[in-house]
Amino acid sequence: MYRFATYKTQYKANLRLALPVVLTQLGQILTQFADNVMVGRYGGDDPTPLAAVSFGGAVFFIVFIAAVGIALGLTPLVGELYAQGDRRRSGDLLQNAIVFYTLLGIGLGLAQWIATPLLYRLGQPVDVVDMAIPYYRLLVVSMPFLMLFFAFKQFLEGVGNTKVEMTVTIIANIANIGFNWLFIYGNLGFREMGAVGAGMGTLLSRIIAPILMIGYFCSRDRYRSYLAGFSLRNLSRRTVRKLLGIGLPISLQMFLEASAFVGTGLMMGWFGDTAKVAMSANQIATTLGNCAFMIVMSIGAATTIRVSHCYGARAIGELSLAAKASYHLVLAWNAVAALVFISLRHWIPTLFTTNAEVIALTSQLLVFSALYQLSDGIQNVSIGILRGIQDVKVIMPIALVSYWLLNLPVGYLLGFELGMGPAGLFLGFTFGLSSAAVLLIRRIRRSVRALHAATEPK
């Protein structure tokens, strides 16, 4: 039976970690949100600029989120060592992460740049692709800076410090909005650049973020010691393999989940004469869904930190309480988000565009977005728990079944074969996310029982 007193301290501990991460994650999505709002307003009744930012951002996002997934593997490794008081090995992980993640960002950025001509082969309107490419390329250039930022960010989360990343992200995103104002609209004598200006603002803000992180580490004795003796020669194959051992399954899971959303976005461009309207409506609904999801991710990140610390100390009873408290928090939040989407579905789209068709379709999609909120929250916290106990290999096959074998095919069937249109594509998310939630909970129950058995006195 549920008793609030049982979980009160767990709620406080989880929220203490989660709230700064909420602002950090919202800051990450605020870059996209600001680009969409400001470019949408710039386009007015013409949906092309917003569709271009939607398309370019979606193609970039699918590789970006896979790279971030690899970086997320650093947090549970550092969290376990932090609980055990091992600063030397923590520093070794950080230094290897800085070099490896930055090189990974450079490599993935080059691959994305070379693959630019493929954007014309994804079935989108040609004028949308023409406008999207310069924006997309500026996002690609930002990849190494993003990965360097995440090396520091995930390390700080591992040691339980989530406030610094929050401050840095807020500063960077205020800068992004300012740059957008200058470059999109051509204020203060700058050339009016439209969608390209949004990309320029995003790039500059992402350069600022790792610079601020490096400055913080160098200015604090506590953290500067983790960088002592830093050299490119410290890159260790063994340590990189350890980072990949945890990070790669997370990356593949995030790639598969992101590909379901990106794939749905691409299919929005297959609706012929109404493609631009569908793409713009999808971008608005997805951006709002991402805003809600960032808070879910924050609770998931806090769960990983709490669970990794409990796992390092082998306090399995505390681990179970912390995990259950996260489920309670995320279910409460997603219920609120669903109600907001439904009740404000006619007003929210007007913040982005004045196009009546886009507003009408977005209001419809927000209802279907509300349907999958609870499942989305459960599956994300479940992944956070599995990351914390370093049981990550199973999440990739679960994601494969949920997103590629259920979500995308069901969405296509409903949207095109059964004639539901964009709403049918969105309904596919409910099938994919719900199946992921059920399968992940089954795995967690099995893993936690095994941990209890392993730590019980014999």
Side-chain angles (χ1 to χ4, degrees):
M1 180 181 293
Y2 172 82
R3 294 181 58 189
F4 178 78
T6 303
Y7 295 99
K8 181 178 179 181
T9 57
Q10 302 297 330
Y11 294 149
K12 288 182 177 179
N14 288 6
L15 288 173
R16 191 178 300 114
L17 291 169
L19 289 177
V21 183
V22 166
L23 295 176
T24 302
Q25 300 289 7
L26 282 175
Q28 296 292 332
I29 202 62
L30 183 60
T31 299
Q32 182 187 20
F33 186 87
D35 287 355
N36 290 336
V37 170
M38 299 176 84
V39 170
R41 286 291 177 181
Y42 173 81
D45 289 335
D46 181 8
T48 304
L50 182 57
V53 169
S54 167
F55 175 58
V59 175
F60 170 79
F61 181 78
I62 195 168
V63 176
F64 158 70
I65 201 66
V68 168
I70 291 176
L72 292 179
L74 178 62
T75 299
L77 293 172
V78 171
E80 182 184 12
L81 294 174
Y82 176 77
Q84 297 169 356
D86 193 334
R87 294 174 63 88
R88 184 190 63 79
R89 290 170 63 197
S90 296
D92 182 57
L93 280 171
L94 173 62
Q95 293 185 27
N96 275 266
I98 290 171
V99 177
F100 174 58
Y101 294 162
T102 303
L103 291 175
L104 180 65
I106 293 171
L108 291 175
L110 286 172
Q112 287 176 290
W113 187 283
I114 293 169
T116 300
L118 296 178
L119 270 63
Y120 286 104
R121 298 181 177 273
L122 297 176
Q124 310 302 300
V126 174
D127 57 337
V128 171
V129 180
D130 288 339
M131 189 177 293
I133 284 177
Y135 173 76
Y136 165 78
R137 282 179 166 167
L138 287 166
L139 298 185
V140 166
V141 174
S142 74
M143 181 68 92
F145 302 101
L146 272 172
M147 293 305 294
L148 179 57
F149 168 75
F150 271 92
F152 289 102
K153 173 183 175 295
Q154 300 312 133
F155 177 85
L156 286 173
E157 288 188 6
V159 300
N161 183 341
T162 56
K163 293 181 180 178
V164 174
E165 63 185 61
M166 172 192 71
T167 304
V168 169
T169 302
I170 289 173
I171 293 171
N173 281 280
I174 290 173
N176 178 60
I177 293 171
F179 291 137
N180 279 356
W181 183 76
L182 292 175
F183 299 134
I184 292 175
Y185 304 111
N187 288 309
L188 299 182
F190 286 87
R191 181 169 63 89
E192 182 180 310
M193 301 170 68
V196 180
M200 181 64 71
T202 299
L203 170 60
L204 293 175
S205 68
R206 287 175 176 174
I207 292 173
I208 289 172
I211 292 174
L212 293 175
M213 277 292 197
I214 293 169
Y216 177 81
F217 266 71
C218 292
S219 65
R220 298 292 189 277
D221 291 338
R222 175 185 175 187
Y223 294 108
R224 189 166 58 241
S225 63
Y226 288 110
L227 297 175
F230 176 79
S231 170
L232 295 178
R233 290 179 300 212
N234 290 342
L235 188 64
S236 161
R237 290 184 181 180
R238 181 179 178 183
T239 305
V240 169
R241 282 198 298 268
K242 184 180 292 186
L243 291 170
L244 286 173
I246 301 297
L248 196 55
I250 299 171
S251 172
L252 291 172
Q253 178 272 327
M254 294 182 74
F255 170 81
L256 291 168
E257 182 178 358
S259 67
F261 283 86
V262 173
T264 297
L266 293 177
M267 285 191 283
M268 292 290 179
W270 299 351
F271 285 109
D273 293 339
T274 61
K276 291 181 184 178
V277 171
M279 291 172 71
S280 297
N282 171 72
Q283 182 63 10
I284 296 171
T286 301
T287 298
L288 293 167
N290 286 344
C291 288
F293 183 67
M294 287 304 107
I295 295 181
V296 171
M297 278 192 71
S298 303
I299 298 173
T303 305
T304 297
I305 298 168
R306 289 287 324 281
V307 168
S308 68
H309 290 177
C310 294
Y311 178 72
R314 298 301 186 263
I316 308 305
E318 184 80 0
L319 184 155
S320 296
L321 288 175
K324 290 177 182 177
S326 289
Y327 280 125
H328 300 161
L329 292 171
V330 81
L331 287 173
W333 161 251
N334 281 127
V336 170
L339 288 173
V340 169
F341 285 178
I342 292 172
S343 60
L344 300 180
R345 65 187 183 278
H346 297 296
W347 174 75
I348 292 174
T350 64
L351 299 174
F352 293 81
T353 182
T354 57
N355 185 293
E357 291 180 278
V358 174
I359 291 171
L361 181 55
T362 305
S363 64
Q364 182 184 9
L365 295 183
L366 286 175
V367 174
F368 289 92
S369 180
L371 291 178
Y372 65 73
Q373 291 300 307
L374 295 180
S375 297
D376 202 11
I378 292 172
Q379 66 91 22
N380 189 266
V381 167
S382 298
I383 290 169
I385 295 168
L386 291 173
R387 287 203 307 257
I389 61 177
Q390 301 178 28
D391 181 17
V392 294
K393 291 182 179 180
V394 72
I395 64 177
M396 194 277 286
I398 288 175
L400 179 64
V401 170
S402 300
Y403 305 121
W404 279 22
L405 300 185
L406 282 176
N407 190 332
L408 287 172
V410 169
Y412 182 87
L413 175 66
L414 296 174
F416 292 96
E417 300 300 325
L418 299 182
M420 291 184 64
L425 296 181
F426 257 57
L427 192 55
F429 291 131
T430 301
F431 286 86
L433 292 166
S434 297
S435 63
V438 171
L439 293 171
L440 289 165
I441 286 176
R442 288 186 62 186
R443 177 65 181 197
I444 288 168
R445 288 178 173 174
R446 175 183 171 184
S447 297
V448 171
R449 281 198 300 267
L451 288 174
H452 274 295
T455 55
E456 286 178 354
K458 298 180 180 179

